[in-house]
Amino acid sequence: MSYRTALSEVLTGLAGPVAEVAAVRGRFPRGAVTALGRAGLLGLTVSTEFGGGGRGLPEAVDVVARTARVCPATAAVLQSHYTAVAVIEAHGGPWLRAEIAAGRHLASLALAESEEEEMGGREGGGSAADSQLLVPRSVATRSGEVVALRARKQRVVAAGEADLYVWSSRPLTAPDGLTLWAVPAHAPDLFVPARPGAAGPRGSATSTVFADPVLVPAEAMLGADGAGLDVVLRTVLPWLLELRAAAETRRPPVLDPTLDPVLDPALDPAGDPGSARRPAGTLAAS
């Protein structure tokens, strides 16, 4: 089945009604995320070697753009998930990649450390935000095969809902740069406020995550100690900025139709821009 056909079924059958609940009540779109996982869309960009879709950034952009037209909260969750998965694909272990491919793991990013800090910055204020992002204040301390991470991460999408966070800290021993970690959401002493913050689309569970400290195995490191700066610059920022732009335009990009034809006219970018483009009963994204 085409990933577009699978996405069409999810958006038509579930994400639309869930979008109303997310927008009106601020409820996390758990049903939509579960359906995306079962349809193989959470594992869309995981290598086929581990059971994933083997797709890349263009297809992830396509999925986010189409989802944003129906449910902005779900689209925000997918932005963070696909970006985190890009890091895990490059540096994560086989078990974790297989779990994501199977739709059993929702990933998110825990990189920002101030309320103003955001990937790419706010309009007119990107430089200060970027510099803070690339020089984390959070501390990592190793004792044997266990690492203690202390931090207060801001603007974490799917906080308390994700299964895994791609987390940044100062290096353990490297003189500069930053280090990335795969932090399980169930790790002891990882705390998320009961009420999500106001950042992000309503229902996206964008909030603060505290670690004071959280203990993870040393093998949870993603890449080499101190090498995370290069990963952020070359992988995280390009993926997240393109995905964010896709969600903001809320129009699907043009992909080669011979590679993956659009089988559902309701999601066809060349189709009628009227009511047929949104499933009945959904909340139209404004």
Side-chain angles (χ1 to χ4, degrees):
M1 180 188 294
S2 160
Y3 80 85
R4 287 185 175 180
T5 302
L7 178 63
S8 171
E9 293 181 357
V10 172
L11 296 182
T12 302
L14 184 59
V18 169
E20 295 190 30
V21 177
V24 175
R25 301 182 186 176
R27 184 179 300 173
F28 185 78
R30 173 54 61 186
V33 172
T34 300
L36 289 166
R38 290 174 177 169
L41 292 163
L42 292 185
L44 179 69
T45 58
V46 177
S47 170
T48 55
E49 176 185 359
F50 298 97
R55 301 288 187 150
L57 179 55
E59 291 81 11
V61 165
D62 189 35
V63 170
V64 168
R66 294 169 186 273
T67 303
R69 295 198 318 219
V70 176
C71 181
T74 303
V77 171
L78 286 173
Q79 292 172 53
S80 191
H81 171 78
Y82 284 139
T83 305
V85 170
V87 177
I88 294 166
E89 266 293 278
H91 303 288
W95 179 85
L96 180 54
R97 294 167 70 184
E99 286 293 294
I100 295 171
R104 292 190 289 265
H105 260 57
L106 176 67
S108 189
L109 299 170
L111 304 177
E113 295 183 357
S114 74
E115 288 289 356
E116 294 76 21
E117 193 174 299
E118 196 174 357
M119 292 295 185
R122 297 178 184 272
E123 288 187 313
S127 297
D130 288 345
S131 64
Q132 294 177 35
L133 178 72
L134 302 178
V135 185
R137 296 185 297 274
S138 57
V139 177
T141 307
R142 181 167 181 168
S143 177
E145 293 303 312
V146 176
V147 174
L149 300 170
R150 296 180 184 273
R152 177 175 177 171
K153 296 294 186 178
Q154 304 279 3
R155 305 182 68 84
V156 179
V157 178
E161 300 286 350
D163 301 288
L164 177 85
Y165 303 106
V166 172
W167 190 282
S168 63
S169 75
R170 294 177 182 174
L172 289 171
T173 58
D176 51 27
L178 60 88
T179 300
L180 295 175
W181 307 88
V183 177
H186 60 74
D189 298 319
L190 199 63
F191 172 70
V192 179
R195 295 184 178 181
R202 187 170 172 82
S204 64
T206 301
S207 188
T208 304
V209 177
F210 297 89
D212 191 29
V214 62
L215 303 180
V216 297
E219 63 184 15
M221 185 184 295
L222 296 170
D225 187 37
L229 178 59
D230 187 64
V231 177
V232 171
L233 290 173
R234 295 178 181 272
T235 301
V236 173
L237 285 174
W239 274 71
L240 192 56
L241 292 175
E242 284 210 39
L243 292 170
R244 176 171 296 165
E248 289 174 351
T249 58
R250 297 179 186 175
R251 292 203 309 265
V254 177
L255 295 179
D256 185 349
T258 64
L259 296 178
D260 203 344
V262 178
L263 301 181
D264 186 345
L267 294 177
D268 186 352
D272 178 31
S275 60
R277 299 186 66 169
R278 297 187 180 92
T282 66
L283 182 67
S286 60

